[in-house]
Amino acid sequence: MSQRLIESESESGTDQSEVRDPSDGVKNKLEDYTRRLSQLGLDLDSDSNSNSNSSSFMVEEAQKQKTVDHQLTKQGTPGGKITIRFQPIGAISAVRPAACKISAEQHFSAVVLFLKRRVKVDTVFCYISNSFAPSPQQQVGDLWRQFKVNDELIVCYCATVAFG
Amino acid sequence: MSIRELVWGGTINVTLTVDQKLFIPGVPAETGSLNFRIRRDSYIVECLPRLLNQLQRYMVGNLADILNHCWLECDSTVLPWFQPVGVQYDLVRYDAILQRDEFLKMASSVDAITVWRIKLNYGPTLPAGVIPLIRQPNQIESYWMHRWKQACFILNGTSKQMMSLSRNDSKKFWDSVRNGDSNDFEYVSAKIVPTKPRMIPLQLHDINDPSRIHQPRAECENSSGKKTSLLDAVATTLPQLLAEKGQLSSSTTLICQGIIIDADEQLERLYPPMKSFDGFLHVVVVTIL
């Protein structure tokens, strides 16, 4: 599951087997609402929509969508995706390619699961900034904003405890 | 008493009801109910083995197995073990905090206390999203240490201060949390927390989406040198909560360590007295929809 949520960064750019981001569905919904609004011949300002329940609902949805888009792109995570660079510690095998893209809304547990499957190990210890292990419930977008280096979140991983 | 002493000494009255499945048939239901007081700045699972030990003669199965397959709930909401007790309480019982004034008026005329009723459930599989406890109690200590390393990195730009603690200080630090020793805690944390932090380790917990913990990048000063307020951090993370003129909407309240706090408070001033025992400043965002 997590393997499908994380996309590898190929040498020429992003992989063609890119998995759709959850926000794509919402974007499509917004486009659909916009199309339907234009068919109705209504503007998006609240005054002109106050007389119609259905159109005001669509405007509310569009405003909600704006908030979602803001959440996804806030503090520099364009498109709601961030780059993770994996660095092996010790004898554990390296992930190829080393950089991957992942939705900023994913939990860190998805990264751990991805690594376990890629490296084919039962246990993997992951660290940020060569010092601490984040909580599995932390969102990778939050970690990226706070600990990024050259716009990449560096995740070091090891088969045993490296930083206790 | 200073604010720091009040925060450190804050406690919650708890009634824990243990799943009846864990008892020998015929044991009365009231036997599985424990009343105790717990520090807000602690992990509830840390004291769970001691509590269950009291009931072990009535229970089936061994304690290690029970601890691997149990989880805590309050009104059918799962309480994650890795969050401080106080944060969990504020998230599920925010109504008690919002109505505290009325309660205190009532309590002055009658003999009343607030009790948090929670349940310890047991099952072969844990609910989705629950992190299993497999290495009690080392897992909790290790988790807490990594929380402090993360907080240290945010405060200083490096985890060196935390990683270079002597073995003795590291032990003293964890023991201070276990035993509620504020002197030892303040002594060791003073080696980690700088007088002028770079950024503040802040976590925002939204009652309407408790599984999503927001950890914004909370700098002490913005680029123009203005001190950052809690409102600035909330505005960046949860912009939908803002009303006109950039203020919080009237339906939103911010709670930290069980008290309602002013959104305009500077983060740099708020952190030292109100920080949690894991090095983070936890703020619960209550929005009544």
Side-chain angles (χ1 to χ4, degrees), chain A residues 114-134:
Chain A
F114 167 79
L115 264 178
K116 277 164 71 173
R117 287 177 183 169
R118 263 303 170 88
V119 187
K120 295 186 176 72
V121 290
D122 292 330
T123 313
V124 67
F125 295 86
C126 296
Y127 301 95
I128 306 288
S129 307
N130 271 329
S131 64
F132 67 87

Side-chain angles (χ1 to χ4, degrees), chain A residues 67 70-71 74-75 127 129-133 135-139 142-143 145-147 163-164, chain B residues 82 129 131 143 146-147 149-150 153-154 159 163 211-217 236-237 239-240:
Chain A
T67 310
H70 177 86
Q71 291 262 50
K74 69 187 177 191
Q75 294 182 1
Y127 301 95
S129 307
N130 271 329
S131 64
F132 67 87
S135 162
Q137 304 267 344
Q138 279 189 265
Q139 302 235 329
D142 287 344
L143 290 168
R145 277 184 283 274
Q146 285 193 309
F147 308 110
F163 305 99
Chain B
F82 50 85
I131 301 170
Y143 173 81
H146 281 286
R147 293 289 293 163
K149 272 197 228 172
Q150 190 174 161
F153 199 102
I154 296 167
S159 298
M163 291 167 99
S211 62
R212 166 69 167 105
I213 302 165
H214 302 270
Q215 192 173 310
R217 188 183 158 89
T236 322
T237 317
Q240 68 273 24

Side-chain angles (χ1 to χ4, degrees), chain B residues 175-242:
Chain B
D175 285 346
S176 72
V177 171
R178 292 189 70 193
N179 306 326
D181 187 331
S182 67
N183 290 334
D184 280 355
F185 182 84
E186 298 301 334
Y187 168 76
V188 184
S189 64
K191 295 185 176 189
I192 302 161
V193 180
T195 47
K196 282 214 171 282
R198 197 179 64 113
M199 286 194 277
I200 298 296
L202 172 69
Q203 285 203 331
L204 301 174
H205 306 261
D206 186 354
I207 60 151
N208 297 311
D209 185 10
S211 62
R212 166 69 167 105
I213 302 165
H214 302 270
Q215 192 173 310
R217 188 183 158 89
E219 288 173 14
C220 289
E221 286 179 5
N222 64 15
S223 52
S224 58
K226 184 182 169 262
K227 299 281 182 193
T228 311
S229 69
L230 184 56
L231 178 66
D232 296 330
V234 174
T236 322
T237 317
L238 301 161
Q240 68 273 24
L241 301 182
L242 292 188

Side-chain angles (χ1 to χ4, degrees), chain B:
Chain B
M1 277 178 108
S2 69
I3 295 173
R4 186 71 207 136
E5 284 171 321
L6 289 168
V7 166
W8 182 264
T11 55
I12 295 168
N13 301 310
V14 180
T15 295
L16 176 72
T17 307
V18 181
D19 198 331
Q20 200 61 30
K21 288 197 289 284
L22 289 168
F23 291 100
I24 299 162
V27 171
E30 58 269 22
T31 310
S33 196
L34 291 165
N35 296 308
F36 59 97
R37 185 175 284 181
I38 189 164
R39 290 182 46 248
R40 291 180 63 94
D41 260 1
S42 64
Y43 294 122
I44 198 162
V45 285
E46 213 277 309
C47 66
L48 214 50
R50 269 179 288 153
L51 292 167
L52 292 180
N53 244 336
Q54 295 178 33
L55 300 173
Q56 207 170 11
R57 58 188 159 149
Y58 307 111
M59 295 169 87
V60 287
N62 68 64
L63 205 56
D65 173 64
I66 292 167
L67 290 167
N68 287 351
H69 295 95
C70 71
W71 68 97
L72 291 156
E73 274 185 12
C74 174
D75 299 333
S76 303
T77 305
V78 175
L79 304 171
W81 62 261
F82 50 85
Q83 276 184 10
V85 173
V87 176
Q88 294 186 348
Y89 179 82
D90 295 347
L91 266 170
V92 294
R93 293 297 312 274
Y94 58 88
D95 54 332
I97 296 161
L98 297 182
Q99 293 158 10
R100 185 176 284 156
D101 288 346
E102 285 121 77
F103 176 79
L104 288 174
K105 271 182 211 159
M106 185 194 78
S108 61
S109 56
V110 293
D111 191 13
I113 58 164
T114 309
V115 176
W116 188 29
R117 294 178 198 285
I118 58 175
K119 196 178 173 200
L120 181 79
N121 280 335
Y122 176 83
T125 51
L126 298 173
V130 174
I131 301 170
L133 269 170
I134 47 171
R135 290 184 292 113
Q136 266 261 15
N138 295 352
Q139 188 178 349
I140 305 161
E141 184 183 351
S142 170
Y143 173 81
W144 175 82
M145 278 289 179
H146 281 286
R147 293 289 293 163
W148 259 107
K149 272 197 228 172
Q150 190 174 161
C152 181
F153 199 102
I154 296 167
L155 287 160
N156 302 291
T158 170
S159 298
K160 199 176 135 193
Q161 289 84 346
M162 184 69 192
M163 291 167 99
S164 58
L165 282 180
S166 69
R167 194 179 173 85
N168 196 28
D169 278 350
S170 292
K171 189 178 179 303
K172 191 188 273 187
F173 204 22
W174 174 239
D175 285 346
S176 72
V177 171
R178 292 189 70 193
N179 306 326
D181 187 331
S182 67
N183 290 334
D184 280 355
F185 182 84
E186 298 301 334
Y187 168 76
V188 184
S189 64
K191 295 185 176 189
I192 302 161
V193 180
T195 47
K196 282 214 171 282
R198 197 179 64 113
M199 286 194 277
I200 298 296
L202 172 69
Q203 285 203 331
L204 301 174
H205 306 261
D206 186 354
I207 60 151
N208 297 311
D209 185 10
S211 62
R212 166 69 167 105
I213 302 165
H214 302 270
Q215 192 173 310
R217 188 183 158 89
E219 288 173 14
C220 289
E221 286 179 5
N222 64 15
S223 52
S224 58
K226 184 182 169 262
K227 299 281 182 193
T228 311
S229 69
L230 184 56
L231 178 66
D232 296 330
V234 174
T236 322
T237 317
L238 301 161
Q240 68 273 24
L241 301 182
L242 292 188
E244 286 175 16
K245 295 175 187 171
Q247 292 301 305
L248 272 187
S249 68
S250 56
S251 58
T252 303
T253 310
L254 304 178
I255 295 173
C256 181
Q257 297 284 9
I259 59 164
I260 297 168
I261 48 167
D262 186 1
D264 292 324
E265 196 66 60
Q266 285 174 15
L267 282 173
E268 197 178 352
R269 276 165 46 100
L270 198 61
Y271 179 75
M274 304 298 273
K275 68 174 179 286
S276 185
F277 74 109
D278 62 357
F280 277 77
L281 180 68
H282 294 274
V283 175
V284 174
V285 182
V286 181
T287 309
I288 310 296
L289 297 173

